[in-house]
Amino acid sequence: MTAVDKLKDPTVRALLEAVNSGDRAGFLALLTPGAVLSDDGTERNLEEWIDKEVFDSNGRIEVRREEADGRRLLARFRNDTWGEMSTRWAFEVEGDRISRIETGQA
């Protein structure tokens, strides 16, 4: 397991810290304008998805493995709606902001 505060990419690390602390505003501040989220290969409305899957349902991410200098993760994701599941995450980073998030079951 990799502690979130030890992730190599500082922008991804800050995004996961925002998830795990319930900081929606902090999460959104780390995204580029027009950032995209894809869940199991389908693009979603990013703000609706994060509200439903993360912030309104107590979502948390526990990193199992990081790759690609911290921009690809295998993690345990849990929320009050779905419980706990193995997930994969990939992030495209532009400067100090994230432009694309891809997630899905692993």
Side-chain angles (χ1 to χ4, degrees):
M1 187 167 26
T2 302
V4 169
D5 66 347
K6 303 295 185 206
L7 292 174
K8 293 177 185 174
D9 188 283
T11 305
V12 172
R13 181 174 58 238
L15 191 82
L16 267 63
E17 288 171 340
V19 166
N20 289 342
S21 66
D23 181 4
R24 184 181 188 276
F27 182 101
L28 292 173
L30 291 162
L31 303 177
T32 62
V36 174
L37 182 132
S38 173
D39 181 5
D40 283 326
T42 302
E43 288 192 8
R44 307 288 184 182
N45 176 297
L46 189 143
E47 288 197 46
E48 287 178 8
W49 190 93
I50 65 168
D51 286 342
K52 179 181 177 188
E53 301 294 338
V54 178
F55 296 106
D56 292 345
S57 61
N58 198 32
R60 298 290 181 265
I61 298 174
E62 180 181 284
V63 177
R64 300 291 185 176
R65 184 175 70 230
E66 72 174 318
E67 299 172 347
D69 292 323
R71 293 187 179 179
R72 283 198 324 244
L73 309 173
L74 179 63
R76 296 297 298 169
F77 178 75
R78 70 148 314 277
N79 67 24
D80 293 343
T81 302
W82 305 109
E84 188 171 309
M85 66 190 84
S86 182
T87 55
R88 58 178 168 66
W89 298 80
F91 303 91
E92 291 181 17
V93 180
E94 295 178 12
D96 62 353
R97 305 228 188 251
I98 293 173
S99 60
R100 183 174 184 84
I101 302 169
E102 295 184 22
T103 189
Q105 291 192 29

